[in-house]
Amino acid sequence: MGTKKKADLEKFRDEVVEKYPKKVGRKRAKAIINNDPDTIPQIQANIRTIPGIITQRGCTYAGCKGVVLGPTRDIINITHGPIGCGYYSWLTRRNQTKPETEAEANFISYCFSTDMQDSNIVFGGEDKLKQAIREAVELFNPKAIGVFSTCPVGLIGDDVHNVAKQMMAEYDNKINIFGFSCEGYRGVSQSAGHHIANNQLYKHLIGNDDTVNGAAKYRINLLGEYNIGGDSFVLEEIFKKCGIELVATFSGNSTISHFEQAHTADLSMVMCHRSINYVAEMLETSFGIPWIKVNFIGADATAKALRKVAAYFEDEELKAKVEEVIAEEMAAVDMAREAVLPKTNGKTSMLFVGGSRAHHYQELFSELGIKTIAAGYEFGHRDDYEGRRVLPSIQVDADTRNIEEITVTKDEKRFKERITKEKIEELEKAIDLEYNEYGGLMADMEKGALIIDDLSHYEMDKLIELYHPDIFCAGIKEKYVVQKMGVPLKQLHNYDSGGPYAGFKGAINFYNDIAMMVSTSIWKELKAPWEREEVIEAAYVY
Ligand code: ICE
């Protein structure tokens, strides 16, 4: 990036903010930050999107049903609501699963919904939900059923938890049936859905089965890895090679038993902190399982994560094994990287996605010599940016710094201790000491790089117009708009049709896919609207 571009980056905020109505502009200005990794500036995050702004965000139902429970294969996940909610949250994220035997239950290829109609909205949908559960039991005889609330369910007051209880009684408590109050409009984004999902996993599944499977010396959980495009398969293979037993992944390629036995592990690795930190904390608080943050996106990051796990267990044999695996895998990685570097080196990228990938994928880009000049989350919290560790039982409101308590109930006795303001201050101090360990996106980005939370469509247009990155990473809602401006867009939610991208083998796939995208000459043929026609501008009237 030349110095001129850097100076421009600093001006970006003023230029876009000026176009908004004053109040809106003032609010958006707090979410557009010039990075400084040495001082870590404050950013506004996890607050409601201003109505009228085109946001990238999804809903609470998406975060709960689609994200966290979506990849589970032997729970029947029933959407209580309109058919569209079920349909669009069904496999569009390309989460995969692989039963170990043919006899094993696998419901991932089915989409279950109560398909609510007008009459259910008027007269209530609980009977229809009961009927759907009966049908599911008759046809599939599952071990567990999850019921997910959509917006209308909350509006008309159907009680999914009560229905779940009644239906469990109908089947003599032999089937584990539980509901989720994950109506789409709750919270400010899909982030609320993650939290709701985590609490219910904990309440209804985790800790139910003390069986200790496998003879491996070290047993770990992998939290926040969802097997998009087969990522979990790659990671499972790496752990196997290292001689580490993977007890449970939340929730890529997972089963009910994995969740029920997760508390038998020695350590939890947390990959997507945003979506699953609540489970990590609950496992630590209730069962004494510590957790560490890892990133398996990027070959160097994968090596670093494996070394971190080996260092945690302080075992020379494991350390040696891990080094052996890294050396073996890195040979192919280096070869693939060298081959594409001439095509990728010196290019620029922008990443606006989710609550962790806008950070993690920068590792892969930097391995390709591609610099990320602007990035941000859709629904990350301040700790995801600033790198502070916030405990799940407390939530600090990003705007007001007010502390809200969230009730976590599994074994009430364990959580009886009331968290006081003093205790939180004490915790926050401790968090500061661990700053680097829990580093967020800002610590890893260059000084002056743009960091924007909950990017609006208008701001995205402006970013492309002003800086024309060589590649833009976001989702399906942005893909074709951006490509029509002559910039290739890589979907980082579902990887388009690519992947896996995790681990060493995944890194090789990513190198090749990105090299192809940034080196094709087709993008030069496409002209953005402002390059080919007069711009007609509208002005707000106050
Ligand atoms: Fe975590 Mo899309 Fe996954 Fe992240 Fe999360 Fe979502 Fe996936 Fe994205 C996800 S769990 S579905 S790593 S909600 S790609 S935060 S937005 S960046």
Side-chain angles (χ1 to χ4, degrees):
M1 198 193 334
T3 41
K4 186 171 169 288
K5 267 202 169 168
K6 204 159 195 169
D8 285 349
L9 283 175
E10 276 160 29
K11 272 193 346 218
F12 175 84
R13 171 168 55 185
D14 299 338
E15 205 167 305
V16 295
V17 163
E18 211 175 70
K19 287 279 178 196
Y20 289 125
K22 270 209 187 69
K23 229 170 128 186
V24 175
R26 267 206 303 276
K27 220 168 174 189
R28 283 305 298 151
K30 293 186 206 152
I32 304 171
I33 300 293
N34 269 112
N35 193 38
D36 183 353
D38 300 325
T39 59
I40 306 284
Q42 276 201 10
I43 189 165
Q44 169 189 276
N46 191 33
I47 65 150
R48 222 163 262 284
T49 303
I50 301 157
I53 276 185
I54 303 179
T55 173
Q56 296 183 294
R57 283 174 166 172
C59 68
T60 297
Y61 160 80
C64 182
K65 193 268 181 185
V67 173
V68 180
L69 272 295
T72 62
R73 72 164 164 265
D74 54 357
I75 301 176
I76 287 195
N77 293 320
I78 302 179
T79 297
H80 187 33
I83 193 69
C85 301
Y87 184 76
Y88 289 108
S89 62
W90 173 48
L91 294 186
T92 46
R93 186 170 169 238
R94 299 183 64 246
N95 45 271
Q96 303 182 3
T97 201
K98 204 188 278 167
E100 277 160 38
T101 63
E102 264 189 33
E104 225 187 287
N106 178 9
F107 306 124
I108 219 156
S109 53
Y110 294 92
C111 176
F112 301 93
S113 168
T114 52
D115 183 19
M116 277 178 119
Q117 301 296 316
D118 301 6
S119 62
N120 308 125
I121 303 292
V122 176
F123 300 108
E126 290 187 2
D127 287 341
K128 197 169 191 188
L129 175 58
K130 284 180 194 164
Q131 198 47 39
I133 293 171
R134 284 186 198 110
E135 252 177 60
V137 172
E138 262 170 46
L139 289 171
F140 298 102
N141 190 26
K143 278 208 285 186
I145 297 177
V147 177
F148 300 85
S149 307
T150 54
C151 295
V153 170
L155 296 174
I156 64 174
D158 275 3
D159 186 343
V160 295
H161 305 287
N162 197 31
V163 170
K165 242 192 240 152
Q166 287 175 16
M167 294 311 290
M168 264 182 87
E170 194 170 310
Y171 293 106
D172 298 329
N173 291 333
K174 289 200 180 96
I175 302 170
N176 194 354
I177 306 174
F178 39 88
F180 295 84
S181 291
C182 56
E183 289 86 349
Y185 56 76
R186 270 172 193 266
V188 305
S189 69
Q190 52 268 63
S191 174
H194 303 147
H195 200 159
I196 293 161
N198 284 208
N199 284 353
Q200 296 299 76
L201 282 177
Y202 186 73
K203 194 169 168 191
H204 297 281
L205 293 167
I206 296 169
N208 284 359
D209 177 1
D210 293 333
T211 312
V212 176
N213 279 326
K217 202 162 159 196
Y218 301 114
R219 303 165 49 76
I220 53 169
N221 295 320
L222 176 57
L223 310 187
E225 156 46 52
Y226 300 94
N227 205 16
I228 310 307
D231 279 353
S232 298
F233 301 146
V234 173
L235 299 179
E236 285 167 11
E237 195 191 305
I238 294 177
F239 298 131
K240 204 165 175 194
K241 269 183 152 180
C242 294
I244 299 169
E245 175 85 23
L246 188 58
V247 182
T249 301
F250 286 71
S251 54
N253 200 27
S254 64
T255 65
I256 296 164
S257 299
H258 296 167
F259 294 147
E260 289 184 332
Q261 294 166 7
H263 66 297
T264 66
D266 304 310
L267 175 72
S268 295
M269 299 179 294
V270 178
M271 180 135 137
C272 169
H273 173 266
R274 180 64 277 129
S275 60
I276 207 88
N277 69 84
Y278 320 98
V279 163
E281 289 288 355
M282 290 185 276
L283 282 170
E284 186 172 62
T285 321
S286 311
F287 301 101
I289 304 169
W291 59 273
I292 55 170
K293 229 177 166 185
V294 292
N295 175 22
F296 287 104
I297 300 298
D300 292 338
T302 301
K304 195 172 147 198
L306 290 174
R307 289 189 178 118
K308 204 168 172 181
V309 173
Y312 172 81
F313 287 117
E314 293 180 345
D315 182 316
E316 292 309 317
E317 203 183 313
L318 179 64
K319 281 184 193 167
K321 189 75 210 161
V322 159
E323 289 306 327
E324 196 186 307
V325 172
I326 293 172
E328 196 185 305
E329 299 270 353
M330 272 304 200
V333 169
D334 289 338
M335 250 174 65
R337 205 172 77 98
E338 293 301 322
V340 301
L341 261 179
K343 291 180 182 171
T344 57
N345 198 23
K347 306 250 182 209
T348 56
S349 64
M350 292 185 177
L351 282 70
F352 289 92
V353 53
S356 82
R357 292 189 172 176
H359 182 193
H360 287 167
Y361 274 77
Q362 291 190 28
E363 294 269 352
L364 273 173
F365 279 113
S366 70
E367 287 171 12
L368 288 169
I370 298 177
K371 189 182 288 175
T372 304
I373 54 173
Y377 301 122
E378 287 168 45
F379 52 79
H381 297 201
R382 277 184 56 201
D383 54 337
D384 302 307
Y385 288 102
E386 298 169 22
R388 294 164 64 92
R389 189 182 182 197
V390 180
L391 294 181
S393 42
I394 54 162
Q395 205 177 42
V396 183
D397 186 272
D399 233 9
T400 59
R401 308 288 294 150
N402 279 342
I403 291 153
E404 279 174 37
E405 247 189 280
I406 290 167
T407 4
V408 184
T409 46
K410 168 83 175 179
D411 177 349
E412 292 234 299
K413 270 173 269 156
R414 296 186 217 261
F415 292 100
K416 260 211 171 127
E417 185 190 0
R418 207 183 139 71
I419 295 188
T420 60
K421 276 212 172 196
E422 290 73 42
K423 177 110 197 246
I424 288 163
E425 270 163 29
E426 202 183 292
L427 286 168
E428 289 205 331
K429 255 189 227 141
I431 291 158
D432 277 338
L433 292 177
E434 289 175 310
Y435 205 89
N436 291 324
E437 183 64 13
Y438 296 98
L441 172 126
M442 285 170 167
D444 289 339
M445 284 188 78
E446 273 201 0
K447 191 170 175 146
L450 264 176
I451 299 185
I452 309 176
D453 182 63
D454 187 19
L455 182 81
S456 77
H457 195 106
Y458 169 66
E459 292 156 14
M460 180 182 81
D461 276 10
K462 267 292 176 214
L463 278 177
I464 291 170
E465 185 186 337
L466 293 174
Y467 311 114
H468 205 92
D470 296 298
I471 188 160
F472 198 94
C473 295
I476 192 66
K477 285 178 284 190
E478 296 80 31
K479 186 171 176 89
Y480 299 103
V481 179
V482 171
Q483 295 199 154
K484 282 174 188 167
M485 297 173 192
V487 173
L489 187 143
K490 180 69 190 167
Q491 289 193 69
L492 284 192
H493 301 266
N494 68 357
Y495 303 163
D496 295 303
S497 52
Y501 292 142
F504 303 106
K505 298 215 163 58
I508 296 173
N509 289 338
F510 195 78
Y511 298 161
N512 292 331
D513 288 356
I514 297 302
M516 227 175 355
M517 290 182 86
V518 297
S519 60
T520 165
S521 57
I522 191 70
W523 307 114
K524 290 194 207 89
E525 307 299 324
L526 289 159
K527 291 268 171 278
W530 54 80
E531 290 171 323
R532 57 169 199 255
E533 59 203 42
E534 288 278 312
V535 178
I536 302 167
E537 282 194 75
Y540 290 102
V541 178
Y542 306 106

